[in-house]
Amino acid sequence: MGMDFSTLRTLISRYCVGEENWVDSRTVYIGQKEPPPGTEAFIQQRFPDNRITSSKYTFWNFIPKNMFEQFRRVANFYFLIIFLVQLIIDTPTSPITSGLPLFFVITVTAIKQGYEDWLRHKADNSVNQCPVHVVQHGKVVRKQSRKLRVGDVVLVKEDESFPCDLILLSSSRDDGTCFVTTASLDGESSHKTYYAVQDTKAYNTEQEIDSIHATIECEQPQPDLYKFVGRINFYMDSEPVARPLGSENLLLRGATLKNTEFIYAVAIYTGMETKMALNYQSKSQKRSAVEKSMNAYLVVYLCILISKAIVNTVMKYVWQADPNRDEPWYNERTETERQRHIVIRAFTDFLAFMVLFNYIIPVSMYVTVEMQKFLGSYFIMWDDEMFDEELGERAMVNTSDLNEELGQVEYVFTDKTGTLTENNMEFIECCVDGHVYVPHVICNGQVMPGAASMDMIDTSPGPDAREHEELFFRALCLCHTVQVKEEETVDGIKHGIHQGKSTSFYISSSPDEVALVEGMKRLGFTYLRLKDSHMEILNREDEIERFELLEVLTFDSVRRRMSVIVRSSSGRLYLFCKGADSAIFPRVISGKVDQIKARVEHNAVEGLRTLCVAYRPLSQEQYQEVCQLLNGAKLALQDRDKRLAEAYDLIEKDLILLGATAVEDRLQEKAADTIESLHKAGMKVWVLTGDKMETAAATCYASKLFHRNTQILELTTKRTEEQSLHDVLFDLSRTVLRQHGGMTRDTFSGLSGDCTDYGLIIDGATLSAVLRPSHEDSNSGNYKEIFLEICRNCSAVLCCRMAPLQKAQIVKLIKASKEHPITLAIGDGANDVSMILEAHVGIGIMGKEGRQAARNSDYAIPKFKHLKKMLLVHGHYYYIRISELVQYFFYKNVCFIFPQFLYQFFCGFSQQPLYDTAYLTLYNISFTSLPILLYSLIEQHINMDILKKDPSLYRDIAKNSLLRWPIFIYWTLLGVYDAIVMFFGAYFLFDNTTFTSNGQLMTTNTQMMFGNWTFGTLVFTVLVFTVTFKLALDTHYWTWINHFVIWGSLIFFVVFSLLWGGIIWPFLNYQRMYYVFMQMLSSGPAWLSIILLIAASLLPDVVKKVIWRALWPTTTERIQHVRDNREFERAMAYHSSDSLLDGVAVTET
């Protein structure tokens, strides 16, 4: 039998659906070569090609797919139904009246989306067609990127980008490493080191690479950029040799090769399976509070529409109950209509009335809102005050759907490191066995002149202490992942360290590590390089010491520590470990713990970032055990991370404490001023950080989150060890509620002076206990509520020792609380992404921890200080503008359709339209759309300088105050009132009629031709002028563009009406509007009537505003009043000076 059972088993496991191995791993054959017979079955799996597709549509599916997406919107679908009803049954208005606006909206949106997709197609093609070099049969061949396949061996040269996800086989560097920048993936511009597979790192020619006979087993593609698990099997003469593969061997598509001449690597994930492509999947859609209000109003108006249609249908049949009215001589029914069942007749009439009144639902509002959001977002990107010269970056808008939400924020959740602080570390001091060492100031490579000496505080270490001191310095020189750049220029940027001398420059993905290594340099121990797996350091005697680097136990945010295992030149084995005090102290068995702990706490209170350093000597036997543990974990394909964590836990124990370091991370410029402004605006600021409590608390005081008179409440592990969690929570609850008399402080009461300010500090462990549902304690269900009650009464909250997921849990907890406040999360690192995605509005800072936060956020800003303008100015304006836009749209459509409803009572409920078809179609598209769009883009009810200086103005728009139901009802009633004035005003003008000599029916009062279309045109003229003037009255910020658009749209209406009624159009079957508009304007009393009706319509709104501003003004209105008075005084002073000059001129003459 040609195939043995193991081969059959492999086949079954590959192709049986649901088999775990098939789901979780893939096998890649390097160079598409089959493995030797008898090792394993050669089953070539199907993988996608290397084509990247970011576009949504193709030429063939654009129309159906785009139409489907657009008609998923309720308003579009509703208008489609109305349009179809108009086509099917005999309705009073032409199908064009609803079909044309719908066609306009759909076409504009389709063109916009089609153009965006065409740009994506262009970008895709340029990427997919770029050339790549592939090794085939010992030669290098050029291919288009899209033709690359999994298993192909690729040659990449310096400064080229990787065409897909690759496993590094060899590099031009002797040690098999290569340097890479991942700026396009996570924004980190620092050079990261990646390692070739040990067995192939010496292969430097195409022939050698082609001779590799191996397969790679690895996990199926997943989007985590920093996680990769796999192994490579080499087929030698004997058994296959397995080697582990991790993220340090994986080169990601989009990253760029730097400072390395060339590399050979094998493709393992291609096209849409690369990590970069998987990370471009769309995030969940966030919806703003304004959009929710809009949809609620739409439902109300739909109910109004249906009730209008029902009332008119009922009234029609009541009217027709009288036989004399049922069939007038001029409108007799056909035989078919008489025989139709009354229910069908009634339903048809109901649909006809629905069609007649359907304009109360504003279809064009959605397209106007979209345009307003899209165009409005450019004001953030164009804002020069939010441009950072140091980074050369502007604010970015990743989604424009949430612009107005920036004006509604109630809770701000901020990260500390890199967000409130600069993430620019400066080594301050180190403490070894209680002796403190302070070098001169050094900061990221920049050393002040004459800083070569060392300031020793406490200069009395004995011989043992001297040995420990040197061991401590060596530990810090060896326990890190810093790279050394020998050249003075790195990527065109000069990094001189000494006067005129080109020396080494340190780079690392962690600013802390650079600061520590540079600090050691100032204290006499210089880290030189990593060469051939040996780390070289220069000691105080200028002797080079070499340590063989055996293992690196990498840092992770759960362990909060990292370790290295090294062998000294004398053969001694050491494990050096550095990490957070909470991660090191429990693992220490000896050393001067008390003195060092006291110094760490002292530094933490000063706001410094502290790290502890420990070591453990290893025997050869212990090292062998460690190797077995690590290799077993590294070769695992399933749960590798978990097994590595368990192995690290077993290795990093029985440590001897050496000392601690202190590094300062300065506050960002204007961070304190920004937080103070947010407090005054009524927002609650929470700081969520992974740092220790003392360091974070010091930062909170410096940034004015806590004030000196703030009473600090602690909900920490230390306190819950002394008392039960239940007792601590109830104690804190009693404290805050006693102060507030049992009433919770309103979210927007801010920092009132008459009551104590409370600040709460909670740590991650206690938070887990609060959120964890426990079955043992019946009260635990209430812990969340009590915790929230305490938080509501605190002006600021600090959460320390937080894991990334806990940050998101906190945001989710506040979002789900009974007030449902609007939350904003701001951070700069990958650990803040979950919090940014969870909050209503996520803001990323373009910091030193990469661009992951900025890429996943809704908005990105260069510095924390820019948050102030973003919320207090842009957010305020956006909300004011869009709330007016939404209310105004509903108002103008009520004004438009309510006269149509009233008219039915005067035309026997015959579904006769009041307005001409052209007016019905163009009212929302042309006559009234541009002024409100422009208003919603440039309105500034208050000067932006005042908004920045007085943050309390933000409270005037808090909690969606301008889109509350009372205001919505007021706008609707105002629309109904205006409609009644227009309709009955025009009706009374037409009250008395007489026949002229030529048989025309004329109105007695105004001498206008009496008729349905004249009456409708008069109402429509008053309507267009009234709603446009109403917007003009609401405008505070006038520019030439406003004047042009507002008066221009009125002129357009008049010109259109003159042309529409003044010319016989050949394409119209009948022309009922012929000469109607001109005849109406030829009557003098009609002009007066129009002016009077417009004034009567606008009067109540003006009176209401005057009374409200006089009796109950908001802060905004008071400032507007003061501003108007100042402008008036300035104008008066200018005029009086002019008249004075005129007087002087007269005297002189």
Side-chain angles (χ1 to χ4, degrees):
M1 218 175 129
M3 189 186 294
D4 63 7
F5 285 109
S6 65
T7 310
L8 189 64
R9 194 163 54 247
T10 311
L11 267 173
I12 292 168
S13 70
R14 287 274 160 77
Y15 286 105
C16 283
V17 177
E19 177 66 40
E20 189 177 336
N21 292 342
W22 167 241
V23 174
D24 290 344
S25 66
R26 59 166 56 185
T27 303
V28 176
Y29 301 96
I30 295 181
Q32 320 292 342
K33 289 180 193 164
E34 296 183 23
T39 49
E40 64 171 294
F42 175 65
I43 301 148
Q44 189 69 54
Q45 297 171 28
R46 287 177 64 85
F47 300 116
D49 61 14
N50 199 35
R51 193 181 282 117
I52 281 282
T53 312
S54 63
S55 53
K56 272 168 74 174
Y57 308 108
T58 64
F59 179 77
W60 305 108
N61 73 7
F62 174 69
I63 290 174
K65 195 172 178 182
N66 187 265
M67 291 301 106
F68 173 72
E69 284 174 1
Q70 291 209 53
F71 285 117
R72 279 165 66 186
R73 295 189 89 154
V74 178
N76 289 349
F77 185 69
Y78 162 78
F79 268 85
L80 178 67
I81 296 295
I82 291 290
F83 176 62
L84 293 175
V85 167
Q86 284 178 294
L87 288 175
I88 293 162
I89 66 167
D90 181 23
T91 52
T93 56
S94 161
I96 293 169
T97 55
S98 58
L100 194 63
L102 179 67
F103 177 75
F104 174 74
V105 168
I106 295 290
T107 307
V108 166
T109 312
I111 288 169
K112 173 180 165 278
Q113 291 177 349
Y115 175 67
E116 286 173 353
D117 207 59
W118 178 72
L119 292 178
R120 283 194 286 266
H121 269 287
K122 268 185 76 176
D124 289 348
N125 286 339
S126 69
V127 169
N128 293 331
Q129 289 170 9
C130 75
V132 293
H133 297 92
V134 179
V135 177
Q136 282 182 350
H137 311 302
K139 292 185 181 142
V140 175
V141 182
R142 272 168 69 103
K143 269 189 184 182
Q144 283 190 346
S145 173
R146 64 193 172 93
K147 292 180 180 172
L148 204 60
R149 292 187 301 155
V150 169
D152 283 350
V153 178
V154 181
L155 167 67
V156 181
K157 296 177 182 173
E158 189 173 359
D159 293 326
E160 287 182 356
S161 287
F162 302 125
C164 59
D165 291 353
L166 306 159
I167 289 291
L168 179 58
L169 295 175
S170 71
S171 104
S172 57
R173 299 173 71 89
D174 297 336
D175 57 0
T177 60
C178 73
F179 296 115
V180 169
T181 57
T182 55
S184 60
L185 290 164
D186 56 14
E188 293 185 27
S189 54
S190 59
H191 292 42
K192 294 178 181 169
T193 310
Y194 287 84
Y195 301 90
V197 177
Q198 283 298 313
D199 302 61
T200 61
K201 70 177 184 181
Y203 292 14
N204 277 334
T205 66
E206 288 84 45
Q207 290 76 20
E208 287 174 330
I209 288 292
D210 197 45
S211 68
I212 295 171
H213 208 170
T215 60
I216 292 173
E217 287 179 84
C218 60
E219 61 188 0
Q220 292 290 12
Q222 48 104 347
D224 190 334
L225 295 177
Y226 306 104
K227 188 169 177 288
F228 174 75
V229 175
R231 65 172 170 244
I232 184 166
N233 301 306
F234 289 100
Y235 300 109
M236 309 293 184
D237 301 329
S238 56
E239 283 293 302
V241 178
R243 295 275 184 264
L245 297 173
S247 54
E248 70 278 2
N249 310 112
L250 179 68
L251 307 169
L252 300 178
R253 176 179 192 135
T256 307
L257 186 66
K258 291 284 181 187
N259 296 26
T260 311
E261 199 179 324
F262 64 84
I263 59 138
Y264 291 104
V266 61
I268 56 161
Y269 302 133
T270 51
M272 296 310 289
E273 289 186 343
T274 56
K275 287 184 182 282
M276 182 177 82
L278 293 174
N279 269 281
Y280 285 161
Q281 304 299 326
S282 58
K283 304 186 285 287
S284 62
Q285 193 68 35
K286 294 181 182 180
R287 288 171 65 222
S288 70
V290 169
E291 197 178 330
K292 289 170 191 168
S293 298
M294 227 160 76
N295 290 340
Y297 297 163
L298 208 64
V299 171
V300 170
Y301 270 59
L302 200 57
C303 295
I304 293 172
L305 168 65
I306 292 167
S307 56
K308 273 184 179 180
I310 290 170
V311 166
N312 270 323
T313 308
V314 171
M315 292 302 291
K316 176 171 183 170
Y317 284 92
V318 170
W319 167 266
Q320 291 179 352
D322 184 340
N324 297 327
R325 295 175 181 161
D326 189 14
E327 285 189 64
W329 58 268
Y330 55 82
N331 192 15
E332 287 186 0
R333 288 204 196 98
T334 62
E335 195 58 40
T336 316
E337 285 175 333
R338 285 200 186 98
Q339 286 173 1
R340 198 180 291 163
H341 195 277
I342 189 162
V343 174
I344 294 171
R345 285 214 312 268
F347 181 67
T348 309
D349 284 329
F350 169 74
L351 288 178
F353 280 120
M354 284 280 286
V355 167
L356 192 62
F357 302 140
N358 82 79
Y359 299 95
I360 198 167
I361 307 288
V363 66
S364 55
M365 177 174 71
Y366 280 96
V367 102
T368 310
V369 165
E370 263 193 25
M371 286 168 74
Q372 188 267 348
K373 287 181 174 182
F374 174 69
L375 296 171
S377 62
Y378 281 97
F379 290 119
I380 287 179
M381 294 190 267
W382 290 337
D383 192 334
D384 287 337
E385 286 182 31
M386 292 169 76
F387 174 75
D388 186 70
E389 289 183 1
E390 185 190 338
L391 290 172
E393 296 278 7
R394 289 187 176 277
M396 285 192 320
V397 178
N398 296 330
T399 171
S400 58
D401 290 344
L402 302 169
N403 293 347
E404 64 279 3
E405 207 82 326
L406 294 169
Q408 294 297 295
V409 175
E410 296 169 60
Y411 280 81
V412 175
F413 299 94
T414 172
D415 176 40
K416 183 183 80 73
T417 308
T419 304
L420 290 179
T421 59
E422 288 183 346
N423 204 9
N424 196 6
M425 308 301 171
E426 184 180 316
F427 183 81
I428 300 299
E429 66 165 58
C430 59
C431 166
V432 187
D433 285 349
H435 305 299
V436 180
Y437 303 83
V438 183
H440 280 258
V441 176
I442 62 111
C443 183
N444 281 11
Q446 303 304 311
V447 181
M448 307 313 291
S453 64
M454 179 176 69
D455 178 9
M456 293 258 288
I457 303 172
D458 190 346
T459 52
S460 55
D464 286 351
R466 180 82 178 176
E467 189 185 332
H468 256 206
E469 171 201 306
E470 293 199 350
L471 202 55
F472 173 85
F473 292 156
R474 286 190 184 98
L476 282 175
C477 281
L478 299 170
C479 188
H480 56 72
T481 56
V482 171
Q483 298 166 28
V484 182
K485 286 279 160 268
E486 299 293 345
E487 59 267 31
E488 187 178 3
T489 306
V490 179
D491 287 349
I493 303 164
K494 287 202 172 184
H495 295 288
I497 294 179
H498 288 306
Q499 302 90 342
K501 279 193 280 182
S502 167
T503 57
S504 58
F505 171 74
Y506 299 124
I507 53 174
S508 169
S509 53
S510 163
D512 292 76
E513 289 198 325
V514 174
L516 291 174
V517 174
E518 285 176 341
M520 292 305 100
K521 189 171 185 174
R522 301 311 324 136
L523 291 169
F525 278 78
T526 306
Y527 171 59
L528 296 176
R529 67 187 67 82
L530 171 66
K531 190 176 181 185
D532 300 329
S533 301
H534 283 76
M535 299 178 88
E536 296 178 4
I537 56 176
L538 190 70
N539 63 21
R540 283 185 187 141
E541 284 74 41
D542 282 344
E543 297 165 350
I544 292 178
E545 298 180 11
R546 283 167 63 86
F547 290 83
E548 186 184 354
L549 180 63
L550 301 170
E551 297 286 350
V552 178
L553 282 59
T554 50
F555 176 86
D556 64 67
S557 54
V558 180
R559 276 169 49 243
R560 298 178 62 77
R561 59 185 181 271
M562 78 160 287
S563 303
V564 293
I565 298 175
V566 295
R567 182 185 280 122
S568 69
S569 49
S570 60
R572 285 187 187 174
L573 290 161
Y574 294 100
L575 176 134
F576 289 118
C577 182
K578 75 163 191 270
D581 58 330
S582 60
I584 299 289
F585 284 138
R587 301 180 164 271
V588 166
I589 52 166
S590 69
K592 297 190 177 176
V593 177
D594 293 337
Q595 295 100 309
I596 292 169
K597 192 178 269 187
R599 192 67 196 175
V600 164
E601 285 172 5
H602 168 268
N603 286 334
V605 170
E606 294 292 313
L608 303 176
R609 293 164 66 86
T610 56
L611 281 176
C612 293
V613 181
Y615 83 105
R616 172 187 168 195
L618 294 173
S619 64
Q620 191 61 40
E621 294 75 28
Q622 287 173 321
Y623 172 61
Q624 292 302 329
E625 285 174 30
V626 165
C627 284
Q628 282 179 348
L629 260 175
L630 288 175
N631 287 338
K634 282 178 182 174
L635 283 172
L637 281 182
Q638 313 287 317
D639 300 324
R640 182 185 288 184
D641 288 347
K642 186 181 170 190
R643 289 181 61 174
L644 274 174
E646 288 167 0
Y648 291 166
D649 200 52
L650 289 169
I651 296 163
E652 294 167 327
K653 63 180 184 184
D654 304 334
L655 303 174
I656 301 164
L657 189 64
L658 285 169
T661 62
V663 171
E664 185 181 24
D665 187 8
R666 293 204 186 106
L667 267 188
Q668 275 199 21
E669 180 195 0
K670 294 184 181 173
D673 170 59
T674 304
I675 285 184
E676 208 167 16
S677 297
L678 299 181
H679 268 306
K680 285 177 182 170
M683 285 173 247
K684 291 201 170 184
V685 182
W686 290 36
V687 174
L688 313 181
T689 178
D691 249 344
K692 64 178 72 59
M693 185 179 116
E694 296 80 7
T695 309
T699 306
C700 289
Y701 277 113
S703 62
K704 296 186 181 173
L705 185 76
F706 295 155
H707 296 263
R708 291 295 158 201
N709 60 348
T710 304
Q711 188 176 333
I712 301 296
L713 309 172
E714 284 188 22
L715 184 55
T716 55
T717 314
K718 188 177 171 186
R719 191 164 171 190
T720 51
E721 281 169 2
E722 296 161 9
Q723 279 178 284
S724 71
L725 177 62
H726 180 273
D727 293 344
V728 175
L729 279 168
F730 276 92
D731 280 356
L732 295 177
S733 180
R734 274 198 297 274
T735 307
V736 293
L737 292 180
R738 193 187 311 125
Q739 173 66 36
H740 298 296
M743 291 178 68
T744 61
R745 173 191 294 220
D746 184 72
T747 311
F748 282 89
S749 67
L751 301 172
S752 45
D754 56 344
C755 65
T756 311
D757 264 332
Y758 288 106
L760 177 71
I761 298 179
I762 180 170
D763 61 17
T766 317
L767 180 73
S768 295
V770 169
L771 300 181
R772 190 189 306 125
S774 167
H775 302 295
E776 300 154 27
D777 192 344
S778 58
N779 295 315
S780 65
N782 301 326
Y783 285 175
K784 277 187 197 176
E785 278 308 312
I786 299 164
F787 172 65
L788 283 170
E789 198 69 32
I790 296 164
C791 292
R792 278 189 205 107
N793 290 291
C794 293
S795 57
V797 178
L798 165 63
C799 304
C800 47
R801 298 289 194 205
M802 302 287 283
L805 206 60
Q806 284 183 310
K807 293 183 177 186
Q809 283 176 332
I810 281 272
V811 176
K812 195 172 185 177
L813 182 71
I814 297 298
K815 265 173 75 179
S817 63
K818 59 187 178 190
E819 296 92 0
H820 297 294
I822 303 296
T823 57
L824 177 145
I826 178 167
D828 71 319
N831 60 335
D832 302 312
V833 168
S834 53
M835 156 175 99
I836 284 168
L837 293 175
E838 184 60 53
H840 291 98
V841 183
I843 296 188
I845 286 184
M846 303 163 184
K848 297 187 177 178
E849 287 189 31
R851 292 294 161 89
Q852 270 195 297
R855 279 198 300 118
N856 285 283
S857 62
D858 304 305
Y859 302 89
I861 53 177
K863 293 277 167 67
F864 182 76
K865 66 178 180 180
H866 298 133
L867 185 66
K868 179 178 175 179
K869 188 170 186 188
M870 195 164 211
L871 298 184
L872 303 186
V873 178
H874 290 293
H876 197 121
Y877 282 155
Y878 283 137
Y879 180 73
I880 290 283
R881 291 164 182 168
I882 203 157
S883 54
E884 174 89 10
L885 185 151
V886 171
Q887 301 282 26
Y888 178 78
F889 250 100
F890 283 109
Y891 156 78
K892 74 185 178 78
N893 279 40
V894 171
C895 291
F896 180 42
I897 280 307
F898 202 71
Q900 180 75 71
F901 172 71
L902 295 172
Y903 186 57
Q904 295 309 302
F905 288 85
F906 296 87
C907 67
F909 304 99
S910 62
Q911 296 141 13
Q912 168 65 37
L914 177 62
Y915 311 117
D916 178 59
T917 304
Y919 288 159
L920 280 169
T921 308
L922 296 177
Y923 176 72
N924 275 322
I925 293 178
S926 301
F927 300 148
T928 60
S929 59
L930 267 182
I932 184 60
L933 176 62
L934 195 79
Y935 174 96
S936 67
L937 286 172
I938 65 171
E939 170 64 1
Q940 293 181 20
H941 60 305
I942 295 181
N943 187 286
M944 64 173 66
D945 293 331
I946 296 170
L947 285 177
K948 275 194 286 189
K949 283 175 193 161
D950 189 355
S952 62
L953 291 169
Y954 194 84
R955 299 178 187 210
D956 279 357
I957 59 165
K959 296 190 173 177
N960 208 6
S961 61
L962 300 182
L963 286 173
R964 287 184 182 158
W965 286 106
I967 295 175
F968 169 69
I969 292 164
Y970 167 75
W971 277 86
T972 304
L973 292 177
L974 184 66
V976 170
Y977 164 81
D978 287 355
I980 291 169
V981 168
M982 292 167 203
F983 182 84
F984 286 107
Y987 177 76
F988 289 127
L989 289 176
F990 280 75
D991 204 18
N992 298 315
T993 57
T994 55
F995 280 99
T996 60
S997 55
N998 62 0
Q1000 282 188 325
L1001 198 59
M1002 300 290 282
T1003 56
T1004 314
N1005 307 333
T1006 57
Q1007 291 301 301
M1008 277 194 296
M1009 198 190 303
F1010 182 85
N1012 170 51
W1013 301 117
T1014 310
F1015 178 66
T1017 303
L1018 179 64
V1019 173
F1020 191 80
T1021 305
V1022 175
L1023 164 72
V1024 170
F1025 276 81
T1026 301
V1027 297
T1028 308
F1029 285 154
K1030 160 74 178 141
L1031 189 65
L1033 286 171
D1034 284 351
T1035 302
H1036 295 96
Y1037 184 70
W1038 283 92
T1039 64
W1040 68 267
I1041 309 174
N1042 291 72
H1043 285 289
F1044 176 76
V1045 168
I1046 286 179
W1047 314 126
S1049 64
L1050 291 176
I1051 291 165
F1052 172 73
F1053 162 69
V1054 173
V1055 170
F1056 173 83
S1057 299
L1058 289 169
L1059 290 173
W1060 184 242
I1063 298 171
I1064 296 174
W1065 297 100
F1067 55 83
L1068 293 177
N1069 297 332
Y1070 52 87
Q1071 204 154 340
R1072 54 198 176 194
M1073 288 298 289
Y1074 184 63
Y1075 215 64
V1076 170
F1077 193 71
M1078 275 153 286
Q1079 202 278 334
M1080 182 186 84
L1081 293 185
S1082 65
S1083 160
W1087 281 81
L1088 184 62
S1089 310
I1090 290 169
I1091 292 164
L1092 284 174
L1093 288 177
I1094 292 168
S1097 299
L1098 294 173
L1099 188 64
D1101 190 44
V1102 173
V1103 170
K1104 177 250 172 190
K1105 278 184 179 167
V1106 170
I1107 294 170
W1108 242 252
R1109 280 176 177 246
L1111 300 178
W1112 305 287
T1114 61
T1115 318
T1116 306
E1117 287 164 351
R1118 283 197 201 100
I1119 284 173
Q1120 285 171 343
H1121 179 67
V1122 170
R1123 184 192 64 187
D1124 293 343
N1125 283 350
R1126 278 188 191 148
E1127 283 179 4
F1128 178 71
E1129 285 166 11
R1130 206 179 294 128
M1132 290 302 291
Y1134 178 77
H1135 285 306
S1136 60
S1137 65
D1138 269 9
S1139 56
L1140 200 67
L1141 286 169
D1142 290 346
V1144 170
V1146 168
T1147 314
E1148 282 175 354
T1149 51

